[in-house]
Amino acid sequence: MTDSVLHPVQTPVEQLLRDCEVRHERRRGPGGQHRNKTESAVVLRHTPTGIGGQASERRSQFDNLRMAIKRLRINLALEVRTASLAEAAPTALWKSRRHDERIACSPDHEDFALLLAEALDVLHVHHGHLPGAAALLGVTASQLVKFLKREPRALIQLNECRLQQGLNSLE
């Protein structure tokens, strides 16, 4: 757990890329000759944490970079816990996405990774206790689970935490 610093997901793209090792590779698979002749795959490794993100499904290196950044942010949200984000909860972003005890954000939206990090940080502080975390975030427990299910690894992570605490796993 990191103490009282911004969550890496909150880092602007330019700074995030400065904090990363960036590799371009050739990958096999669909895409025709262009894919096999150019290094359009992008592999990112966030140097401070060692967490990575990659993309190779597009023919364009630029498109793959955007997708690799998105995946890196999701992986950072899943793996890095910060006290400051949990202490600030619910943040202005969370409140702006909360409507009638529901949280609304597509996994494809750029805000998703930060919202996911906030939810997981709050759940971490509450030792996986769903009702307490949901109450702090101003959503129902079922809506919080529904939100976490948008990134299946988040629910797996929560269930592992809950099992360590002697709580039942969630479906």
Side-chain angles (χ1 to χ4, degrees):
M1 182 153 156
T2 309
D3 293 318
S4 296
V5 294
L6 290 178
H7 197 286
V9 171
Q10 295 170 292
T11 307
V13 172
E14 301 79 24
Q15 179 62 44
L16 186 63
L17 287 173
R18 282 194 295 272
D19 291 344
C20 287
E21 293 174 7
V22 181
R23 283 193 338 260
H24 302 283
E25 300 177 348
R26 273 183 228 174
R27 297 279 173 97
R28 298 199 180 275
Q33 289 180 341
H34 175 79
R35 183 173 185 149
N36 296 327
K37 289 182 181 177
T38 63
E39 294 183 347
S40 59
V42 177
V43 180
L44 302 175
R45 187 177 151 286
H46 187 246
T47 307
T49 62
I51 296 169
Q54 59 184 341
S56 63
E57 58 271 12
R58 305 275 185 221
R59 290 176 60 176
S60 160
Q61 192 178 82
F62 177 77
D63 291 341
N64 284 332
L65 176 62
R66 287 182 31 222
M67 184 58 72
I69 291 168
K70 177 184 169 199
R71 290 178 180 155
L72 173 62
R73 287 187 187 277
I74 294 290
N75 291 339
L76 288 167
L78 289 166
E79 299 298 325
V80 177
R81 301 283 58 88
T82 58
S84 61
L85 197 51
E87 290 167 4
T91 62
L93 176 62
W94 185 275
K95 289 176 187 176
S96 74
R97 292 299 194 144
R98 184 180 65 200
H99 307 285
D100 298 325
E101 297 187 320
R102 295 182 176 163
I103 187 73
C105 187
S106 164
D108 295 327
H109 196 277
E110 66 180 42
D111 290 342
F112 181 77
L114 183 52
L115 293 169
L116 181 63
E118 183 172 349
L120 291 172
D121 281 359
V122 169
L123 282 160
H124 180 78
V125 167
H126 283 87
H127 306 288
H129 186 254
L130 199 59
L136 177 67
L137 292 168
V139 296
T140 65
S142 62
Q143 285 298 310
L144 185 54
V145 170
K146 189 175 180 180
F147 175 74
L148 293 175
K149 283 183 177 179
R150 293 179 184 153
E151 173 47 65
R153 295 175 294 167
L155 189 60
I156 291 168
Q157 189 178 87
L158 174 60
N159 280 330
E160 288 171 356
C161 175
R162 288 177 60 83
L163 289 174
Q164 288 174 358
Q165 299 297 321
L167 300 170
N168 294 331
S169 63
L170 305 167
E171 293 185 28

